[in-house]
Each structure stands twice: as C-alpha cells, then as structure tokens.
Amino acid sequence: MKYYLTTPIYYVNAAPHIGHTYTTIAADAIKRFKRMQGFDPVVLTTGTDEHGQKVERAAKAAGKTPEEFTTAVAAEFRRQWDEFGLQYDRFVRTSDPRHHETVRWLFERCMKNGHIYKGSYTGQYCVFDELYVNEAKPGDPCPDCGRPTETVTEENYFFKLSAFTERLLDLYEKQPDFILPESRRNEVLSFVKQGLNDLSITRTTIKWGIPVPVEGHHVFYVWFDALIAYMTAVKDTDLWPADLHLIGKEIVRFHAIFWPAFLWAADLPLPKHIYAHGWLLFEHDKMSKSRGNIVRAEPIRKVMGADALRYFLLREIVFGQDGSFSYDALIGRYNSELANGLGNLASRTLTLIQQYRGGAVPAGNAQQVQKVACETIGTTADAFYHFEFSKGLEAIWTLLSAVDKFIVEQAPWNLAKRPDGEAQLDSALYAAAEALRIATALLSPILPESCAKIWSQLGMPEPLESVRLDSLAWGQLRAGQKIGQIAAVFPRIDAKPAIEKMRELETQVSAEQAVLLGKAPAVSQQPAPAGPQITIDDFSKIDLRVGQVLSAERVKGADKLLHLKVDLAEAKPRSIVAGIAEAYAPEALVGRKVVIVANLAPRKLRGLTSNGMIVAASIEGGKPVLAGFLEDIPVGARLK
Ligand code: MSP
C-alpha cells in the first residue's frame, strides 16, 4: 500500500534555517518509519513556494529577476536537504509551468461546480503574511506579525468558503484524527464555529504569480497556488490523496480549512491527516530575523553530523509542542545519550564478541533481555506510529540501559575465566548483540547514517533500509555471523571548541545566505585601515548600550534618515535619528536589539533631536549593517 506525505512548500524569501530543517527531518523520519511498517511506495514531497509580493520585492532588492532569484533559493533548499541525506522524492517549485497547469485546472473545476464568483474587495492587506486582515481599519497593524497593513481595493474572484462551514465541522467531528494533535483540532474547531467568510483567491495588485485563465491581469492568491503544489507533485500518479501533510502550527488553518474546501469544490478526495507540530525556539525565544537569533542547521551538521541534530530535535522536543534549541543541550544529549549510551554499548558488545568469540556471534539466549527487547519493539512502534518520537526514543534507551546493566551483571570477563562459564558467556553475548540489532533497526528512521554503521559492524548481511517491523522479532540474529570492523560511531565531543566552531560557521553561513538573498555585497572588500591607537581609558569613555527599537518611521524629506524610539532601560525611550533608511524598512526594525552610543552629545537633525547613535558596520559604497547579538541580552546592558 502506498503512503504519500508532504512537508510545507517553503517560502523562498528566506534561506533555509533550522526550523525548516526540523520539519523536513521529521518528515524524513516518518517516511523511513512508514517504509519499515511495510508501506510501498512511500513518497515524500517538499518544495518551494515562489510567488507573491514579498518574493517580487526580495528579488528586486537582490537585483535579480524573480525567476533568477527563486531558482537560486530553491537550489539552496535542495542542496541543504541533499547534504542532510533527507530522502525527498519530489521537489515542487510553484513557478514550474506544470504547477501552473494544475492550479488552473483546479480553479476551473471549482468554477464549473459553481463555487467561485466575481466580487470587489476593499480591505487591509498584510504584505508580509500575504493575507487580507478582516475587520482591520486603515493604519491597523497585522494581528499576526504586527507590521502595518496596506489598504487595497481590487476586483477579485471569490471562493465560497462560507458555504463549507457545516461540512468542515462535520469532517472534524467524524474524523477526529484529520487534524493532529488534538489541541490543534480544537483550535481549528472553535475558529470555524465562529463562521467563515468567503475568500478572495485572486489578486490584481501583484504581478509575480500564476495568471488566472482569461483574466490576464489577475494572479492567484498564494495560498490557492501553494496548497495545490501537493497535488502537482503527484499528478498523473495514483498517489493522491496524501496520507499526511506535516506542517508547523502557524499554517494549520490554511491546511485544515481552505484546503479541504478547495478540494471538495473541485470534487477531489481530501488528505487523510494534517499534523501540525510546534515551534522550535532558540533558547526559549522565538527565532526571527529582527531578533537576529536564527540558527541554521548546516554548521551543526558540519561539526556534529546530521544524526546528532536529528536525534536532538526528535528526542528533546515533544513532537507537537513548542521546544527549545540550544548548543549546550545539543552537546549534552549527544555526549550522554549517543556517545556514552548507544555508542558505548555498541562498541562494548562487539568488542566482547571479538575478544571472546573470535568475532563470530555465538548461539544462546537470555530471557530477561528478550522480554525487554520485545516490549520495546511494541512500545516504540506504537509511539512512532503516533509521531511520538521522544517517547519511542525513551523506550529504546530503556532497553539500552537494561542491556548495559545485564552485561555488567553477567561480567563476561569473569565468565571467560571459568571453565563452566562457556554457555552462559555465549548466551550473554548473543542476547546483548541481538538487543543491539533490534535497537539499531528501531532507531534507523531517526539515526539512519549511524545505525547503518552499527548494522554493518554487527555483520548484518541485508541492507538496513530493507528491514521491516514484522521481521524484527527476537532470535533473527544468526549464530555464527561474523561481525565487521569495529569503530566508534559517536566520538565524544568537547563542548567548548565545538560550540565555538559552530558559531563561527553560523556567521559564515548566514553571510553566504545574505548574499544569496541579495542582502549583502558579494564581493569582499579591503577593510579600511586601522585607526590610531587608543588606551582602555579612552575606550571606556564611550558608553555603548544594548537598546531595543520600539518604533521607527521615515523622516519627511530625508531619504536616508529614520527616526527611532529606542528602549535603553531608562525612564523614557531615547529619540535617535539614524542614517539607515536605505538599508532598513522601518517596520523591520521594531523589536530588534541594537547597539547604541548612549553618551553622545545630543544633535539636531531635520528638527528632530537625536540622543545617541546607533552602531552599524559598512564598507565603502555599501549599505550600513546594524550591530546585533546572536544570544539574548537584556536591554540596557553595557558593552565593554
Ligand atoms: N509557504 C508557506 C507554506 C505553504 S504550504 C502549501 C510557508 N512557508 S515557510 O517557509 O514560512 O515555512 C513554514 C514552515 O517551516 C512551518 O510551517 C514549519 O514547518 C517550518 N518552520 C519554519 N520555522 C520554524 C520554527 N521556528 N519552528 C518550527 N518549524 C518551523 O509557511
């Protein structure tokens, strides 16, 4: 039986970061687990969502056409997934003409069935979220991102979403596992119960999109476009409907409300499940561009390997809930659970077989290990089936500790010295190796690379990927099997240099991504010559403080200036006039932590008093780039 699953189709106006990697890793782990369950084929689709005003603007800022820009960013997503060994089968780009065709086809089916009409719309629109903000007045901020909304009036095609309200409620009722986990289902349920408005699904204000048939100046609204990519990927196959759309919680409404309604309107079958996982935070804080605390996965992969990150994300975070990433926690778990836990047990077991049985697995058995191992197969399979990765991993680690304890109790090194210890030694070694085989197979969807190594060290003849859950039963390890070459799978990692290296690579990768997105000059320039020497006392005269931008607006008649209100943990916010208007949109600065020269004598600029100066780096002819922090730091802290 087939299993078709998808990740979100990622926006190309940002380069991939650890949040995107989190979803794609989880999807890859599910794919591998489904294969173990016996589904065939298991097909995973990912891709890029390339249309809309934000992309049009980003391309312009990068000095590229939208086609050039989206091609470059889509390639970067693919490169990341390839280097991570993520097994996606289809990569859809919404700018692909085949996708255009599917969107028009679906639109025409909805139209023919009478679910689309033409109307006129005036309202507030959030360019950032590509969303009309219902009930907002001109000047209101977007409720999702807080950025200012724009007033637009358009003649649009509308989708009769309101007509599907009852049918949607009935769906959530009859198929309680349509939206998972349950907390998300409840959220959607109470939203839909308030009633739904019709949805405008075309735009005339945007050029970069899929043209609506007949109406050349209309393009499709990005969500009418992007969701259909799940279908484009498998059109002309029998893989539709999808078995699972795996997404982050912020896009659950689009998937659980719009998508089923579009499909019903076109007389097409619905996906079976939508699973919305939680947010990955950085040290308990939401990752965002304005906070400057975005973490990329590539430096972690380069320093610690892909499996270290896969393990951490799926073990640390209860899938479905929000969770936090930190380098310390990553290395902590790696050393204690992978290096000392799994890695040690594997090399210990194999070394004992090498030492006492010349590298051939002996025949024997030990009931107590068999019992725990069999229970673990059941618990883990059940947990993974419900996407409870951390619970499944916990069960496997219970097995690993039980085997560890068993080896210590059996003390093979003593048995080997006793003439009557042979049979017990055989049994102890067989049981440990067999438990290791089972644990390795169960873990393979989560740790594919490392488990393949342990698998071949165990001398298993068949490829790990061909192992199925129902052939995992105890006793399948063949006596007499020769083990392979023993090597450490998880060498211990020294935290301090590893974190330093990852941070260094993070700076490098984020600079490379900035170039890709056209946010920084590509050519490296000669730095300006060093200034005259000063003493530490000279330096300490400069009072540099951490500030947070509370508001920012353009200064009338001055193209380069922004007027900022900055919180320095003083009684009142500071008014600061900064020459950064060409590099930063005012709304992008709100909430951002910056460095302020706090004791600069006040100056008047265009009638506004500037009480301090914002610190930025720039190169000759380049735009200023604000100084900021990777870690969080309280407002008012002094830089020394
Ligand atoms: N283009 C839309 C999706 C259209 S699907 C038909 C979109 N793109 S996105 O690039 O913003 O990707 C959002 C998805 O990336 C989230 O739903 C989630 O899967 C993943 N994540 C991005 N940042 C994340 C975190 N900080 N934490 C967890 N997941 C994150 O929305």
Side-chain angles (χ1 to χ4, degrees), residues 569-624:
E570 298 170 324
K572 281 200 322 216
R574 294 266 187 132
S575 154
I576 291 174
V577 182
I580 54 172
E582 286 178 333
Y584 292 92
E587 63 273 13
L589 290 173
V590 177
R592 180 165 170 154
K593 292 216 169 128
V594 291
V595 178
I596 299 291
V597 185
N599 60 343
L600 197 73
R603 298 184 293 164
K604 273 222 166 226
L605 285 157
R606 301 261 171 177
L608 296 162
T609 308
S610 188
N611 286 310
M613 188 177 84
I614 195 159
V615 176
S618 65
I619 50 165
E620 199 55 48
K623 288 182 177 168

Short mmCIF file of all heavy atoms in Angstrom, two decimals, residues 569-624:
data_model
loop_
_atom_site.label_atom_id
_atom_site.label_comp_id
_atom_site.label_asym_id
_atom_site.label_seq_id
_atom_site.Cartn_x
_atom_site.Cartn_y
_atom_site.Cartn_z
N ALA A 569 16.32 50.86 28.79
CA ALA A 569 16.00 50.58 30.19
C ALA A 569 16.14 51.85 31.03
O ALA A 569 16.54 51.80 32.20
CB ALA A 569 16.87 49.45 30.74
N GLU A 570 15.85 52.98 30.42
CA GLU A 570 15.85 54.25 31.16
C GLU A 570 14.39 54.64 31.40
O GLU A 570 13.47 53.96 30.95
CB GLU A 570 16.54 55.33 30.32
CG GLU A 570 18.00 54.99 30.04
CD GLU A 570 18.64 55.91 29.00
OE1 GLU A 570 17.94 56.32 28.04
OE2 GLU A 570 19.83 56.20 29.13
N ALA A 571 14.20 55.77 32.09
CA ALA A 571 12.84 56.20 32.41
C ALA A 571 12.01 56.39 31.13
O ALA A 571 10.83 56.05 31.08
CB ALA A 571 12.87 57.48 33.22
N LYS A 572 12.65 56.96 30.10
CA LYS A 572 11.92 57.24 28.85
C LYS A 572 12.70 56.64 27.68
O LYS A 572 13.92 56.58 27.73
CB LYS A 572 11.88 58.76 28.60
CG LYS A 572 10.86 59.51 29.42
CD LYS A 572 10.54 60.88 28.80
CE LYS A 572 11.72 61.58 28.20
NZ LYS A 572 11.86 62.95 28.27
N PRO A 573 12.01 56.25 26.60
CA PRO A 573 12.76 55.80 25.42
C PRO A 573 13.58 56.94 24.84
O PRO A 573 13.22 58.11 24.98
CB PRO A 573 11.68 55.38 24.43
CG PRO A 573 10.40 55.35 25.18
CD PRO A 573 10.56 56.18 26.40
N ARG A 574 14.68 56.63 24.21
CA ARG A 574 15.51 57.64 23.55
C ARG A 574 14.98 57.94 22.15
O ARG A 574 14.56 57.02 21.44
CB ARG A 574 16.93 57.10 23.35
CG ARG A 574 17.68 56.86 24.61
CD ARG A 574 18.51 58.06 24.96
NE ARG A 574 19.34 57.72 26.09
CZ ARG A 574 20.65 57.97 26.14
NH1 ARG A 574 21.26 58.55 25.11
NH2 ARG A 574 21.33 57.67 27.21
N SER A 575 15.11 59.18 21.77
CA SER A 575 14.80 59.53 20.38
C SER A 575 16.14 59.53 19.65
O SER A 575 17.08 60.22 20.05
CB SER A 575 14.15 60.91 20.39
OG SER A 575 14.38 61.56 19.18
N ILE A 576 16.24 58.73 18.60
CA ILE A 576 17.52 58.63 17.86
C ILE A 576 17.25 58.75 16.36
O ILE A 576 16.35 58.08 15.83
CB ILE A 576 18.24 57.31 18.19
CG1 ILE A 576 18.72 57.38 19.65
CG2 ILE A 576 19.41 57.05 17.24
CD1 ILE A 576 19.33 56.12 20.18
N VAL A 577 18.00 59.63 15.70
CA VAL A 577 17.86 59.77 14.26
C VAL A 577 19.05 59.06 13.61
O VAL A 577 20.20 59.31 13.99
CB VAL A 577 17.82 61.26 13.84
CG1 VAL A 577 17.62 61.38 12.33
CG2 VAL A 577 16.70 61.99 14.59
N ALA A 578 18.75 58.11 12.71
CA ALA A 578 19.83 57.28 12.16
C ALA A 578 19.79 57.28 10.64
O ALA A 578 18.71 57.23 10.04
CB ALA A 578 19.67 55.85 12.69
N GLY A 579 20.95 57.29 10.02
CA GLY A 579 21.04 57.31 8.55
C GLY A 579 20.99 55.92 7.95
O GLY A 579 21.90 55.52 7.23
N ILE A 580 19.94 55.18 8.24
CA ILE A 580 19.89 53.77 7.79
C ILE A 580 18.65 53.47 6.95
O ILE A 580 18.33 52.31 6.69
CB ILE A 580 19.92 52.82 9.01
CG1 ILE A 580 18.81 53.17 10.01
CG2 ILE A 580 21.27 52.84 9.70
CD1 ILE A 580 18.66 52.16 11.14
N ALA A 581 17.95 54.54 6.51
CA ALA A 581 16.67 54.32 5.81
C ALA A 581 16.82 53.59 4.49
O ALA A 581 15.90 52.92 4.03
CB ALA A 581 15.96 55.65 5.59
N GLU A 582 18.00 53.68 3.88
CA GLU A 582 18.15 52.99 2.60
C GLU A 582 18.42 51.50 2.79
O GLU A 582 18.28 50.72 1.86
CB GLU A 582 19.29 53.63 1.79
CG GLU A 582 18.84 54.98 1.24
CD GLU A 582 19.95 55.67 0.47
OE1 GLU A 582 21.14 55.42 0.77
OE2 GLU A 582 19.62 56.46 -0.41
N ALA A 583 18.84 51.14 4.00
CA ALA A 583 19.18 49.74 4.24
C ALA A 583 18.07 48.99 4.97
O ALA A 583 17.97 47.77 4.87
CB ALA A 583 20.47 49.64 5.04
N TYR A 584 17.25 49.69 5.74
CA TYR A 584 16.25 49.01 6.57
C TYR A 584 14.87 49.64 6.41
O TYR A 584 14.74 50.87 6.51
CB TYR A 584 16.63 49.07 8.05
CG TYR A 584 17.87 48.26 8.37
CD1 TYR A 584 19.13 48.85 8.33
CD2 TYR A 584 17.77 46.92 8.67
CE1 TYR A 584 20.28 48.11 8.59
CE2 TYR A 584 18.90 46.17 8.94
CZ TYR A 584 20.16 46.76 8.90
OH TYR A 584 21.27 46.02 9.16
N ALA A 585 13.86 48.79 6.22
CA ALA A 585 12.48 49.28 6.24
C ALA A 585 12.14 49.53 7.71
O ALA A 585 12.52 48.72 8.56
CB ALA A 585 11.55 48.24 5.67
N PRO A 586 11.44 50.62 8.02
CA PRO A 586 11.17 50.92 9.43
C PRO A 586 10.53 49.74 10.16
O PRO A 586 10.94 49.40 11.27
CB PRO A 586 10.20 52.11 9.37
CG PRO A 586 10.27 52.65 7.99
CD PRO A 586 10.86 51.62 7.12
N GLU A 587 9.56 49.07 9.50
CA GLU A 587 8.85 48.00 10.23
C GLU A 587 9.74 46.81 10.55
O GLU A 587 9.48 46.05 11.46
CB GLU A 587 7.59 47.57 9.47
CG GLU A 587 7.81 46.96 8.10
CD GLU A 587 7.88 48.02 6.99
OE1 GLU A 587 8.00 49.22 7.30
OE2 GLU A 587 7.83 47.61 5.81
N ALA A 588 10.84 46.68 9.77
CA ALA A 588 11.73 45.53 10.03
C ALA A 588 12.58 45.76 11.28
O ALA A 588 13.23 44.84 11.77
CB ALA A 588 12.63 45.30 8.83
N LEU A 589 12.59 46.99 11.76
CA LEU A 589 13.47 47.29 12.89
C LEU A 589 12.77 47.13 14.24
O LEU A 589 13.44 46.93 15.26
CB LEU A 589 13.99 48.73 12.78
CG LEU A 589 14.98 48.97 11.65
CD1 LEU A 589 15.29 50.44 11.52
CD2 LEU A 589 16.25 48.18 11.92
N VAL A 590 11.47 47.22 14.22
CA VAL A 590 10.74 47.20 15.50
C VAL A 590 10.98 45.87 16.21
O VAL A 590 10.84 44.81 15.62
CB VAL A 590 9.23 47.46 15.27
CG1 VAL A 590 8.47 47.38 16.58
CG2 VAL A 590 9.03 48.82 14.62
N GLY A 591 11.39 45.97 17.47
CA GLY A 591 11.65 44.77 18.26
C GLY A 591 13.10 44.34 18.22
O GLY A 591 13.54 43.52 19.00
N ARG A 592 13.87 44.90 17.31
CA ARG A 592 15.25 44.44 17.13
C ARG A 592 16.18 45.02 18.18
O ARG A 592 16.05 46.17 18.56
CB ARG A 592 15.69 44.85 15.73
CG ARG A 592 17.09 44.44 15.41
CD ARG A 592 17.32 44.55 13.95
NE ARG A 592 18.73 44.38 13.70
CZ ARG A 592 19.23 43.94 12.56
NH1 ARG A 592 18.42 43.67 11.57
NH2 ARG A 592 20.52 43.81 12.40
N LYS A 593 17.12 44.21 18.66
CA LYS A 593 18.10 44.70 19.63
C LYS A 593 19.29 45.28 18.88
O LYS A 593 19.79 44.67 17.92
CB LYS A 593 18.54 43.57 20.55
CG LYS A 593 17.40 43.14 21.45
CD LYS A 593 17.84 42.76 22.83
CE LYS A 593 16.65 42.59 23.73
NZ LYS A 593 16.64 41.31 24.43
N VAL A 594 19.72 46.46 19.33
CA VAL A 594 20.78 47.17 18.61
C VAL A 594 21.81 47.70 19.61
O VAL A 594 21.61 47.62 20.82
CB VAL A 594 20.18 48.37 17.82
CG1 VAL A 594 19.33 47.89 16.66
CG2 VAL A 594 19.36 49.28 18.72
N VAL A 595 22.90 48.24 19.08
CA VAL A 595 23.92 48.84 19.95
C VAL A 595 23.85 50.35 19.80
O VAL A 595 23.82 50.87 18.68
CB VAL A 595 25.33 48.33 19.56
CG1 VAL A 595 26.39 48.99 20.43
CG2 VAL A 595 25.39 46.83 19.67
N ILE A 596 23.82 51.04 20.94
CA ILE A 596 23.66 52.50 20.92
C ILE A 596 24.84 53.15 21.64
O ILE A 596 25.24 52.69 22.72
CB ILE A 596 22.35 52.90 21.65
CG1 ILE A 596 21.12 52.29 20.96
CG2 ILE A 596 22.22 54.42 21.80
CD1 ILE A 596 20.80 52.85 19.59
N VAL A 597 25.41 54.21 21.03
CA VAL A 597 26.38 55.04 21.76
C VAL A 597 25.51 55.96 22.62
O VAL A 597 24.85 56.87 22.11
CB VAL A 597 27.25 55.87 20.80
CG1 VAL A 597 28.32 56.64 21.58
CG2 VAL A 597 27.88 54.97 19.75
N ALA A 598 25.47 55.66 23.94
CA ALA A 598 24.45 56.30 24.78
C ALA A 598 24.89 57.66 25.30
O ALA A 598 24.05 58.46 25.73
CB ALA A 598 24.10 55.37 25.93
N ASN A 599 26.21 57.95 25.29
CA ASN A 599 26.63 59.23 25.87
C ASN A 599 27.13 60.22 24.81
O ASN A 599 27.95 61.09 25.10
CB ASN A 599 27.69 59.01 26.96
CG ASN A 599 28.93 58.31 26.42
OD1 ASN A 599 28.89 57.73 25.34
ND2 ASN A 599 30.03 58.40 27.15
N LEU A 600 26.62 60.07 23.61
CA LEU A 600 26.97 61.04 22.57
C LEU A 600 26.17 62.32 22.82
O LEU A 600 24.98 62.23 23.14
CB LEU A 600 26.60 60.44 21.20
CG LEU A 600 27.22 61.10 19.99
CD1 LEU A 600 28.71 60.75 19.90
CD2 LEU A 600 26.52 60.60 18.72
N ALA A 601 26.83 63.48 22.70
CA ALA A 601 26.11 64.74 22.94
C ALA A 601 24.92 64.84 21.99
O ALA A 601 25.03 64.44 20.82
CB ALA A 601 27.06 65.91 22.71
N PRO A 602 23.74 65.34 22.46
CA PRO A 602 22.56 65.43 21.58
C PRO A 602 22.84 66.27 20.35
O PRO A 602 23.63 67.23 20.41
CB PRO A 602 21.51 66.10 22.46
CG PRO A 602 22.00 65.94 23.85
CD PRO A 602 23.49 65.84 23.80
N ARG A 603 22.23 65.88 19.21
CA ARG A 603 22.37 66.67 17.98
C ARG A 603 20.98 66.87 17.40
O ARG A 603 20.10 66.03 17.60
CB ARG A 603 23.15 65.88 16.91
CG ARG A 603 24.53 65.53 17.29
CD ARG A 603 25.21 64.85 16.11
NE ARG A 603 24.62 63.53 15.82
CZ ARG A 603 24.82 62.89 14.69
NH1 ARG A 603 25.55 63.43 13.73
NH2 ARG A 603 24.29 61.69 14.46
N LYS A 604 20.84 67.98 16.63
CA LYS A 604 19.56 68.19 15.96
C LYS A 604 19.71 67.82 14.49
O LYS A 604 20.67 68.21 13.84
CB LYS A 604 19.15 69.66 16.07
CG LYS A 604 18.39 69.97 17.34
CD LYS A 604 17.21 70.89 17.03
CE LYS A 604 16.32 70.93 18.16
NZ LYS A 604 15.11 70.85 18.41
N LEU A 605 18.77 67.03 13.98
CA LEU A 605 18.79 66.66 12.56
C LEU A 605 17.38 66.85 12.03
O LEU A 605 16.43 66.26 12.57
CB LEU A 605 19.17 65.19 12.41
CG LEU A 605 20.64 64.84 12.62
CD1 LEU A 605 20.80 63.37 12.99
CD2 LEU A 605 21.43 65.12 11.35
N ARG A 606 17.22 67.68 11.01
CA ARG A 606 15.89 67.94 10.42
C ARG A 606 14.85 68.28 11.49
O ARG A 606 13.74 67.73 11.49
CB ARG A 606 15.40 66.73 9.64
CG ARG A 606 16.30 66.33 8.53
CD ARG A 606 15.77 66.86 7.24
NE ARG A 606 16.76 66.64 6.20
CZ ARG A 606 16.59 66.95 4.95
NH1 ARG A 606 15.48 67.50 4.55
NH2 ARG A 606 17.53 66.76 4.07
N GLY A 607 15.26 69.04 12.48
CA GLY A 607 14.31 69.48 13.51
C GLY A 607 14.06 68.44 14.59
O GLY A 607 13.32 68.69 15.54
N LEU A 608 14.71 67.25 14.46
CA LEU A 608 14.50 66.21 15.49
C LEU A 608 15.77 66.08 16.32
O LEU A 608 16.88 66.15 15.78
CB LEU A 608 14.22 64.86 14.82
CG LEU A 608 12.95 64.78 13.99
CD1 LEU A 608 13.00 63.58 13.04
CD2 LEU A 608 11.74 64.66 14.92
N THR A 609 15.61 65.87 17.62
CA THR A 609 16.80 65.71 18.46
C THR A 609 17.20 64.25 18.48
O THR A 609 16.37 63.37 18.70
CB THR A 609 16.51 66.18 19.90
OG1 THR A 609 15.97 67.48 19.80
CG2 THR A 609 17.77 66.20 20.75
N SER A 610 18.49 64.03 18.27
CA SER A 610 19.00 62.66 18.35
C SER A 610 19.83 62.54 19.61
O SER A 610 20.86 63.19 19.76
CB SER A 610 19.85 62.36 17.11
OG SER A 610 20.17 61.00 17.11
N ASN A 611 19.36 61.68 20.54
CA ASN A 611 20.07 61.49 21.81
C ASN A 611 20.85 60.20 21.79
O ASN A 611 20.55 59.27 22.53
CB ASN A 611 19.05 61.43 22.95
CG ASN A 611 18.49 62.79 23.25
OD1 ASN A 611 19.23 63.76 23.41
ND2 ASN A 611 17.16 62.88 23.28
N GLY A 612 21.84 60.13 20.92
CA GLY A 612 22.63 58.91 20.85
C GLY A 612 22.78 58.50 19.41
O GLY A 612 22.22 59.12 18.50
N MET A 613 23.56 57.42 19.21
CA MET A 613 23.82 56.99 17.84
C MET A 613 23.74 55.46 17.77
O MET A 613 24.16 54.77 18.70
CB MET A 613 25.22 57.46 17.46
CG MET A 613 25.55 57.24 16.01
SD MET A 613 27.19 57.90 15.66
CE MET A 613 28.20 56.55 16.18
N ILE A 614 23.20 54.99 16.68
CA ILE A 614 23.08 53.54 16.51
C ILE A 614 24.38 53.04 15.83
O ILE A 614 24.93 53.73 14.97
CB ILE A 614 21.82 53.22 15.69
CG1 ILE A 614 21.43 51.75 15.78
CG2 ILE A 614 21.96 53.61 14.24
CD1 ILE A 614 19.96 51.51 15.44
N VAL A 615 24.88 51.87 16.25
CA VAL A 615 26.16 51.39 15.71
C VAL A 615 25.92 50.43 14.55
O VAL A 615 25.12 49.50 14.65
CB VAL A 615 26.96 50.68 16.82
CG1 VAL A 615 28.26 50.09 16.26
CG2 VAL A 615 27.26 51.64 17.95
N ALA A 616 26.60 50.70 13.44
CA ALA A 616 26.45 49.85 12.26
C ALA A 616 27.81 49.71 11.58
O ALA A 616 28.68 50.57 11.74
CB ALA A 616 25.46 50.47 11.29
N ALA A 617 27.98 48.64 10.86
CA ALA A 617 29.21 48.46 10.09
C ALA A 617 28.90 48.75 8.63
O ALA A 617 27.77 48.55 8.19
CB ALA A 617 29.68 47.01 10.22
N SER A 618 29.88 49.25 7.91
CA SER A 618 29.64 49.40 6.48
C SER A 618 30.98 49.40 5.76
O SER A 618 32.03 49.63 6.36
CB SER A 618 28.87 50.68 6.18
OG SER A 618 29.65 51.78 6.54
N ILE A 619 30.91 49.10 4.49
CA ILE A 619 32.11 49.18 3.68
C ILE A 619 31.90 50.29 2.67
O ILE A 619 30.76 50.71 2.44
CB ILE A 619 32.40 47.84 2.96
CG1 ILE A 619 31.11 47.36 2.27
CG2 ILE A 619 32.94 46.81 3.91
CD1 ILE A 619 31.36 46.29 1.28
N GLU A 620 32.97 50.72 2.07
CA GLU A 620 32.91 51.83 1.12
C GLU A 620 31.81 51.59 0.08
O GLU A 620 31.80 50.56 -0.60
CB GLU A 620 34.29 51.92 0.41
CG GLU A 620 34.56 53.25 -0.26
CD GLU A 620 34.42 54.45 0.67
OE1 GLU A 620 34.99 54.41 1.79
OE2 GLU A 620 33.73 55.40 0.29
N GLY A 621 30.89 52.51 0.00
CA GLY A 621 29.82 52.42 -1.00
C GLY A 621 28.73 51.42 -0.64
O GLY A 621 27.74 51.30 -1.35
N GLY A 622 28.89 50.66 0.46
CA GLY A 622 27.88 49.65 0.83
C GLY A 622 26.86 50.22 1.79
O GLY A 622 27.01 51.32 2.30
N LYS A 623 25.83 49.43 2.03
CA LYS A 623 24.80 49.86 2.96
C LYS A 623 25.21 49.54 4.40
O LYS A 623 25.91 48.55 4.63
CB LYS A 623 23.50 49.11 2.65
CG LYS A 623 22.85 49.60 1.37
CD LYS A 623 21.56 48.88 1.11
CE LYS A 623 20.92 49.46 -0.13
NZ LYS A 623 19.82 48.66 -0.61
N PRO A 624 24.75 50.35 5.36
CA PRO A 624 25.10 50.03 6.75
C PRO A 624 24.42 48.74 7.22
O PRO A 624 23.30 48.46 6.82
CB PRO A 624 24.56 51.23 7.53
CG PRO A 624 23.54 51.86 6.65
CD PRO A 624 23.94 51.56 5.23
#
